[in-house]
Amino acid sequence: MNFQAPKGTFDWMPPRSETVLAVRDALAGPARRAGYGYVETPAFEDTGLFSRGVGESTDIVTKEMYTFTSRGGQSLTLRPEGTASVVRAVIEHGLYGGPLPIKLWYSGSFFRYERAQAGRYRHFSQVGAEALGAEDPALDAELIVLAMDGYASLGLRHVRLLLNSLGCRECRPAYRAALQDFLRALDLDEATRQRIEINPLRVLDDKRPEVRAQLAGAPLVTDHLCGACKAYHEEVRGLLAAADVPYEDDPRLVRGLDYYTRTTFEFVHDGLGAQSAVGGGGRYDGLSEMIGGPQLPGVGWALGVDRTVLALEAEGLLAEPAGRVDVFAVPLGEEARRRIFPLVAALRRAGLAVDMAFGGRGVKGAMKAADRSGARYAVILGDRDIEAGAVQVKDLTTADQTAVPLTEVVDVLKGRLS
Ligand code: ATP
Ligand code: MG
């Protein structure tokens, strides 16, 4: 029996997997430096958290969740997104009673039963950030700037920011009604017609060309914003401009989750084909109450790690894999292996990246392994060296080789590699 990774999933293997780590670090870095604290929540939650928090009418809840009944009879779901979990944790731990805003970031695996294709997987990885407890346009703008800085720090030059406002509970109902009137007159399938009644904004997010073609004349939310939403949105735009972050107004931008209000944004990359969104987010002022919490406004984003790696690839920025280690130890014989082992440990404790030849290969095989490791130096120990209390230090780029006393080799290598 041969096992394979399940459909829609895959393995990140070395050396490409190094890029995944680098992307996570780069995307989280700006938020960490802006005072966001790390939060880690479980990979599964009570199913109700997502059905209420993400929204009953969303694709995620209607067809993408991995839901199962635990042995204890509880309905649990593998998390399809992070925001509902973070808000749940903030409520559960009563953080809203402390200093506001609460700023948190996370990184991890998410699960959606999607139609698997390039850039769209059933298991994927996101870095996210959320700021709760303040309704301040500077917070919306801060998060957007942090995400753009994260992409930029990876060297990406073709990430575009699409920006919109979805209004609030004051102005959204009138827009919703106008949109429903428009949509009811279109030629749509039954499922979509139902969606018009439950969550008409979601219809604007339909990706099918035959639907998109009919949406050209749809009323725009930006024409229906109340005064407060308009002013708020203007403030966000002004702050982005002041921070030199270019944006494109996209009055048709809606997002797949039900909880968004006001500021809504997406980061897109043009080198990725249909799955162009490398990240997205927005304000979700009603979410806390939807899941039984206090009134707690929030804004946040989630950035796709896998698609960001694809974007790096599309821009030719996938770094050449660096050498895995600095030093590679080659023992010539059993006695040498016993003696080189503690030397390897000492070199590692001194902070050097060190590997050694395993499996009792001959000199030729061991030297080949040393070359393949990418190490700058090989440390070779033979019987004659043991007698002399020394090791051979070979520079693998120049092939220069010198004997160094065993007692000095840690310092010598540290010096040469610093
Ligand atoms: P899309 O419109 O592409 O389905 P989404 O609106 O469902 O995206 P979000 O829930 O906002 O996406 O997630 C934020 C980011 O996570 C996306 O912009 C994308 O980069 C990434 N992402 C979402 N779903 C997947 C997936 N199935 N596979 C890989 N990455 C994903
Ligand atoms: Mg989606």
Side-chain angles (χ1 to χ4, degrees):
M1 177 86 191
N2 281 320
F3 291 108
Q4 290 178 334
K7 186 171 178 202
T9 74
F10 60 92
D11 308 301
W12 285 110
M13 304 296 287
R16 243 174 136 235
S17 50
E18 291 294 326
T19 310
V20 179
L21 290 177
V23 165
R24 283 200 192 111
D25 280 353
L27 295 181
R32 299 180 72 182
R33 290 190 292 277
Y36 288 70
Y38 179 63
V39 60
E40 193 166 308
T41 62
F44 54 84
E45 298 267 1
D46 208 307
T47 300
L49 174 67
F50 300 120
S51 50
R52 288 171 61 188
V54 177
E56 299 280 6
S57 75
T58 60
D59 282 352
I60 290 182
V61 172
T62 53
K63 50 187 192 208
E64 296 177 0
M65 296 208 299
Y66 283 91
T67 297
F68 60 99
T69 306
S70 74
R71 286 171 195 274
Q74 189 185 6
S75 180
L76 298 172
T77 294
L78 298 185
R79 59 182 180 184
E81 60 103 48
T83 305
S85 302
V86 171
V87 176
R88 193 268 305 141
V90 164
I91 297 168
E92 184 171 336
H93 296 273
L95 297 193
Y96 50 86
L100 300 176
I102 304 147
K103 291 173 156 193
L104 298 167
W105 74 276
Y106 60 84
S107 169
S109 289
F110 296 86
F111 311 85
R112 296 182 193 175
Y113 192 78
E114 302 227 45
R115 206 159 64 76
Q117 52 197 295
R120 189 172 291 288
Y121 313 113
R122 292 180 175 175
H123 167 260
F124 58 98
S125 178
Q126 291 181 336
V127 169
E130 317 284 352
L132 294 118
E135 219 176 324
D136 181 341
L139 211 45
D140 307 41
E142 166 175 289
L143 275 157
I144 292 172
V145 172
L146 295 174
M148 289 297 270
D149 286 352
Y151 292 124
S153 75
L154 287 162
L156 287 169
R157 291 189 300 124
H158 300 296
V159 176
R160 291 185 294 127
L161 162 62
L162 308 181
L163 187 66
N164 196 16
S165 171
L166 292 183
C168 63
R169 51 189 122 196
E170 301 303 319
C171 52
R172 183 96 71 87
Y175 171 64
R176 190 185 137 103
L179 182 62
Q180 279 175 324
D181 282 346
F182 172 86
L183 295 173
R184 286 187 192 119
L186 301 182
D187 176 23
L188 298 165
D189 59 278
E190 191 45 40
T192 311
R193 303 198 73 82
Q194 277 172 21
R195 188 172 280 164
I196 295 173
E197 305 311 318
I198 312 166
N199 188 349
L201 264 76
R202 290 275 304 116
V203 181
L204 290 183
D205 200 25
D206 203 307
K207 304 222 161 55
R208 292 171 294 176
E210 66 274 20
V211 178
R212 296 212 81 95
Q214 298 188 67
L215 295 173
L220 299 177
V221 63
T222 29
D223 294 332
H224 289 78
L225 295 181
C226 64
C229 283
K230 246 184 224 156
Y232 194 97
H233 198 50
E234 273 317 302
E235 189 65 27
V236 172
R237 296 164 89 233
L239 291 169
L240 291 176
D244 279 331
V245 170
Y247 58 85
E248 297 165 33
D249 289 310
D250 182 353
R252 298 176 169 280
L253 178 72
V254 292
R255 312 228 347 108
L257 290 68
D258 273 358
Y259 49 58
Y260 285 109
T261 53
R262 288 197 167 164
T263 313
T264 307
F265 51 87
E266 200 156 82
F267 306 101
V268 293
H269 192 278
D270 296 321
L272 298 186
Q275 270 53 253
S276 60
V278 288
R283 181 159 278 284
Y284 46 85
D285 292 339
L287 174 59
S288 172
E289 288 136 297
M290 270 153 91
I291 60 171
Q295 212 242 316
L296 192 66
V299 54
W301 44 243
L303 314 182
V305 172
D306 313 81
R307 285 191 202 167
T308 302
V309 175
L310 295 178
L312 285 168
E313 205 160 40
E315 289 198 30
L317 293 170
L318 273 198
E320 276 294 298
R324 284 180 293 113
V325 292
D326 304 320
V327 178
F328 196 92
V330 176
L332 306 178
E334 272 306 296
E335 182 57 21
R337 186 173 60 82
R338 255 172 247 126
R339 293 192 184 223
I340 215 162
F341 188 86
L343 174 62
V344 167
L347 287 166
R348 288 175 182 157
R349 287 172 190 146
L352 303 184
V354 188
D355 197 0
M356 66 178 274
F358 290 101
R361 298 181 252 212
V363 196
K364 243 178 105 185
M367 288 313 292
K368 216 185 211 168
D371 280 330
R372 261 203 306 263
S373 75
R376 174 76 198 274
Y377 294 101
V379 168
I380 306 160
L381 188 67
D383 290 339
R384 230 172 305 158
D385 303 308
I386 295 173
E387 270 166 43
V391 290
Q392 302 295 322
V393 172
K394 181 173 179 182
D395 184 325
L396 291 169
T397 48
T398 63
D400 285 343
Q401 187 168 317
T402 47
V404 175
L406 253 175
T407 48
E408 289 169 26
V409 68
V410 172
D411 286 336
V412 167
L413 281 170
K414 258 182 87 172
R416 288 211 208 167
L417 283 161
S418 62

